[in-house]
mmCIF file of all heavy atoms in Angstrom:
data_model
loop_
_atom_site.group_PDB
_atom_site.id
_atom_site.type_symbol
_atom_site.label_atom_id
_atom_site.label_comp_id
_atom_site.label_asym_id
_atom_site.label_seq_id
_atom_site.Cartn_x
_atom_site.Cartn_y
_atom_site.Cartn_z
ATOM 1 N N SER A 286 85.173 118.665 130.554
ATOM 2 C CA SER A 286 86.497 118.855 129.961
ATOM 3 C C SER A 286 87.341 117.602 130.187
ATOM 4 O O SER A 286 86.907 116.652 130.853
ATOM 5 C CB SER A 286 87.181 120.083 130.566
ATOM 6 O OG SER A 286 87.293 119.942 131.977
ATOM 7 N N LEU A 287 88.526 117.599 129.641
ATOM 8 C CA LEU A 287 89.414 116.446 129.772
ATOM 9 C C LEU A 287 90.106 116.460 131.129
ATOM 10 O O LEU A 287 90.579 117.501 131.598
ATOM 11 C CB LEU A 287 90.470 116.470 128.662
ATOM 12 C CG LEU A 287 89.944 116.278 127.240
ATOM 13 C CD1 LEU A 287 91.009 116.690 126.222
ATOM 14 C CD2 LEU A 287 89.529 114.833 127.010
ATOM 15 N N SER A 288 90.169 115.295 131.766
ATOM 16 C CA SER A 288 90.869 115.171 133.039
ATOM 17 C C SER A 288 92.375 115.120 132.792
ATOM 18 O O SER A 288 92.833 114.929 131.666
ATOM 19 C CB SER A 288 90.432 113.900 133.758
ATOM 20 O OG SER A 288 90.895 112.745 133.046
ATOM 21 N N ASP A 289 93.166 115.258 133.852
ATOM 22 C CA ASP A 289 94.614 115.162 133.709
ATOM 23 C C ASP A 289 95.022 113.771 133.216
ATOM 24 O O ASP A 289 95.957 113.646 132.412
ATOM 25 C CB ASP A 289 95.305 115.469 135.035
ATOM 26 C CG ASP A 289 95.356 116.975 135.319
ATOM 27 O OD1 ASP A 289 94.738 117.742 134.552
ATOM 28 O OD2 ASP A 289 96.009 117.373 136.301
ATOM 29 N N ASP A 290 94.349 112.731 133.702
ATOM 30 C CA ASP A 290 94.635 111.375 133.215
ATOM 31 C C ASP A 290 94.437 111.297 131.701
ATOM 32 O O ASP A 290 95.274 110.751 130.973
ATOM 33 C CB ASP A 290 93.718 110.347 133.885
ATOM 34 C CG ASP A 290 94.210 109.946 135.269
ATOM 35 O OD1 ASP A 290 95.272 110.451 135.678
ATOM 36 O OD2 ASP A 290 93.541 109.136 135.918
ATOM 37 N N GLU A 291 93.327 111.840 131.230
ATOM 38 C CA GLU A 291 93.021 111.806 129.796
ATOM 39 C C GLU A 291 94.008 112.652 128.999
ATOM 40 O O GLU A 291 94.447 112.258 127.908
ATOM 41 C CB GLU A 291 91.584 112.274 129.565
ATOM 42 C CG GLU A 291 90.555 111.275 130.079
ATOM 43 C CD GLU A 291 89.163 111.887 130.250
ATOM 44 O OE1 GLU A 291 89.045 113.141 130.227
ATOM 45 O OE2 GLU A 291 88.208 111.107 130.423
ATOM 46 N N LEU A 292 94.387 113.808 129.554
ATOM 47 C CA LEU A 292 95.347 114.671 128.858
ATOM 48 C C LEU A 292 96.689 113.978 128.683
ATOM 49 O O LEU A 292 97.295 114.018 127.609
ATOM 50 C CB LEU A 292 95.535 115.979 129.628
ATOM 51 C CG LEU A 292 94.400 116.990 129.520
ATOM 52 C CD1 LEU A 292 94.556 118.086 130.565
ATOM 53 C CD2 LEU A 292 94.360 117.603 128.125
ATOM 54 N N VAL A 293 97.173 113.319 129.736
ATOM 55 C CA VAL A 293 98.447 112.595 129.645
ATOM 56 C C VAL A 293 98.362 111.517 128.574
ATOM 57 O O VAL A 293 99.265 111.362 127.742
ATOM 58 C CB VAL A 293 98.837 111.982 131.010
ATOM 59 C CG1 VAL A 293 100.029 111.030 130.846
ATOM 60 C CG2 VAL A 293 99.188 113.076 132.012
ATOM 61 N N GLY A 294 97.260 110.766 128.568
ATOM 62 C CA GLY A 294 97.093 109.718 127.571
ATOM 63 C C GLY A 294 97.006 110.257 126.165
ATOM 64 O O GLY A 294 97.644 109.735 125.243
ATOM 65 N N HIS A 295 96.249 111.322 125.967
ATOM 66 C CA HIS A 295 96.088 111.888 124.624
ATOM 67 C C HIS A 295 97.394 112.483 124.100
ATOM 68 O O HIS A 295 97.714 112.342 122.914
ATOM 69 C CB HIS A 295 94.996 112.962 124.625
ATOM 70 C CG HIS A 295 93.621 112.420 124.847
ATOM 71 N ND1 HIS A 295 93.222 111.197 124.378
ATOM 72 C CD2 HIS A 295 92.538 112.946 125.493
ATOM 73 C CE1 HIS A 295 91.966 110.975 124.720
ATOM 74 N NE2 HIS A 295 91.529 112.022 125.387
ATOM 75 N N VAL A 296 98.141 113.139 124.970
ATOM 76 C CA VAL A 296 99.413 113.722 124.541
ATOM 77 C C VAL A 296 100.365 112.628 124.059
ATOM 78 O O VAL A 296 101.042 112.771 123.033
ATOM 79 C CB VAL A 296 100.048 114.544 125.678
ATOM 80 C CG1 VAL A 296 101.519 114.841 125.378
ATOM 81 C CG2 VAL A 296 99.285 115.844 125.874
ATOM 82 N N GLY A 297 100.413 111.504 124.789
ATOM 83 C CA GLY A 297 101.263 110.393 124.365
ATOM 84 C C GLY A 297 100.869 109.856 123.005
ATOM 85 O O GLY A 297 101.719 109.599 122.141
ATOM 86 N N VAL A 298 99.572 109.701 122.779
ATOM 87 C CA VAL A 298 99.073 109.185 121.505
ATOM 88 C C VAL A 298 99.367 110.159 120.375
ATOM 89 O O VAL A 298 99.833 109.768 119.296
ATOM 90 C CB VAL A 298 97.554 108.913 121.603
ATOM 91 C CG1 VAL A 298 96.947 108.741 120.220
ATOM 92 C CG2 VAL A 298 97.296 107.671 122.449
ATOM 93 N N ILE A 299 99.097 111.452 120.597
ATOM 94 C CA ILE A 299 99.310 112.456 119.551
ATOM 95 C C ILE A 299 100.792 112.528 119.200
ATOM 96 O O ILE A 299 101.171 112.619 118.028
ATOM 97 C CB ILE A 299 98.782 113.829 120.012
ATOM 98 C CG1 ILE A 299 97.258 113.787 120.136
ATOM 99 C CG2 ILE A 299 99.200 114.926 119.035
ATOM 100 C CD1 ILE A 299 96.676 114.975 120.890
ATOM 101 N N PHE A 300 101.637 112.483 120.218
ATOM 102 C CA PHE A 300 103.072 112.537 119.951
ATOM 103 C C PHE A 300 103.516 111.331 119.125
ATOM 104 O O PHE A 300 104.237 111.475 118.136
ATOM 105 C CB PHE A 300 103.864 112.585 121.256
ATOM 106 C CG PHE A 300 105.352 112.548 121.035
ATOM 107 C CD1 PHE A 300 106.043 113.714 120.752
ATOM 108 C CD2 PHE A 300 106.052 111.353 121.073
ATOM 109 C CE1 PHE A 300 107.408 113.692 120.514
ATOM 110 C CE2 PHE A 300 107.421 111.313 120.839
ATOM 111 C CZ PHE A 300 108.098 112.489 120.562
ATOM 112 N N ALA A 301 103.080 110.138 119.531
ATOM 113 C CA ALA A 301 103.480 108.920 118.815
ATOM 114 C C ALA A 301 103.038 108.981 117.357
ATOM 115 O O ALA A 301 103.802 108.651 116.442
ATOM 116 C CB ALA A 301 102.894 107.693 119.504
ATOM 117 N N ALA A 302 101.791 109.412 117.142
ATOM 118 C CA ALA A 302 101.264 109.471 115.777
ATOM 119 C C ALA A 302 101.967 110.545 114.953
ATOM 120 O O ALA A 302 102.227 110.357 113.764
ATOM 121 C CB ALA A 302 99.756 109.738 115.822
ATOM 122 N N GLY A 303 102.298 111.677 115.576
ATOM 123 C CA GLY A 303 102.891 112.784 114.839
ATOM 124 C C GLY A 303 104.384 112.676 114.644
ATOM 125 O O GLY A 303 104.958 113.383 113.823
ATOM 126 N N TYR A 304 105.019 111.807 115.412
ATOM 127 C CA TYR A 304 106.480 111.703 115.352
ATOM 128 C C TYR A 304 106.923 110.450 114.609
ATOM 129 O O TYR A 304 107.524 110.513 113.537
ATOM 130 C CB TYR A 304 107.031 111.727 116.786
ATOM 131 C CG TYR A 304 108.336 111.004 116.980
ATOM 132 C CD1 TYR A 304 109.513 111.485 116.410
ATOM 133 C CD2 TYR A 304 108.402 109.847 117.746
ATOM 134 C CE1 TYR A 304 110.718 110.815 116.582
ATOM 135 C CE2 TYR A 304 109.590 109.178 117.931
ATOM 136 C CZ TYR A 304 110.749 109.659 117.352
ATOM 137 O OH TYR A 304 111.934 108.988 117.525
ATOM 138 N N GLU A 305 106.608 109.294 115.141
ATOM 139 C CA GLU A 305 107.134 108.039 114.608
ATOM 140 C C GLU A 305 106.626 107.744 113.200
ATOM 141 O O GLU A 305 107.400 107.444 112.292
ATOM 142 C CB GLU A 305 106.760 106.898 115.564
ATOM 143 C CG GLU A 305 107.197 105.521 115.124
ATOM 144 C CD GLU A 305 108.664 105.235 115.378
ATOM 145 O OE1 GLU A 305 109.317 106.061 116.047
ATOM 146 O OE2 GLU A 305 109.153 104.195 114.915
ATOM 147 N N THR A 306 105.306 107.821 113.001
ATOM 148 C CA THR A 306 104.755 107.449 111.692
ATOM 149 C C THR A 306 105.190 108.418 110.598
ATOM 150 O O THR A 306 105.511 108.002 109.484
ATOM 151 C CB THR A 306 103.223 107.393 111.752
ATOM 152 O OG1 THR A 306 102.719 108.664 112.177
ATOM 153 C CG2 THR A 306 102.742 106.329 112.721
ATOM 154 N N THR A 307 105.224 109.710 110.907
ATOM 155 C CA THR A 307 105.601 110.696 109.893
ATOM 156 C C THR A 307 107.068 110.566 109.527
ATOM 157 O O THR A 307 107.444 110.701 108.349
ATOM 158 C CB THR A 307 105.287 112.116 110.383
ATOM 159 O OG1 THR A 307 103.931 112.167 110.850
ATOM 160 C CG2 THR A 307 105.464 113.128 109.263
ATOM 161 N N SER A 308 107.928 110.297 110.497
ATOM 162 C CA SER A 308 109.352 110.114 110.182
ATOM 163 C C SER A 308 109.544 108.901 109.287
ATOM 164 O O SER A 308 110.385 108.915 108.372
ATOM 165 C CB SER A 308 110.181 109.978 111.466
ATOM 166 O OG SER A 308 109.925 108.769 112.140
ATOM 167 N N ASN A 309 108.781 107.832 109.513
ATOM 168 C CA ASN A 309 108.875 106.657 108.651
ATOM 169 C C ASN A 309 108.400 106.969 107.235
ATOM 170 O O ASN A 309 109.025 106.550 106.253
ATOM 171 C CB ASN A 309 108.048 105.506 109.227
ATOM 172 C CG ASN A 309 108.681 104.907 110.462
ATOM 173 O OD1 ASN A 309 109.884 105.020 110.671
ATOM 174 N ND2 ASN A 309 107.883 104.272 111.297
ATOM 175 N N ALA A 310 107.291 107.687 107.113
ATOM 176 C CA ALA A 310 106.776 108.031 105.782
ATOM 177 C C ALA A 310 107.788 108.883 105.018
ATOM 178 O O ALA A 310 107.999 108.686 103.815
ATOM 179 C CB ALA A 310 105.444 108.763 105.912
#
Side-chain angles (χ1 to χ4, degrees):
S286 58
L287 294 165
S288 68
D289 282 7
D290 279 358
E291 290 163 346
L292 285 167
V293 170
H295 291 326
V296 165
V298 165
I299 293 166
F300 176 84
Y304 152 68
E305 178 79 8
T306 58
T307 309
S308 69
N309 288 337

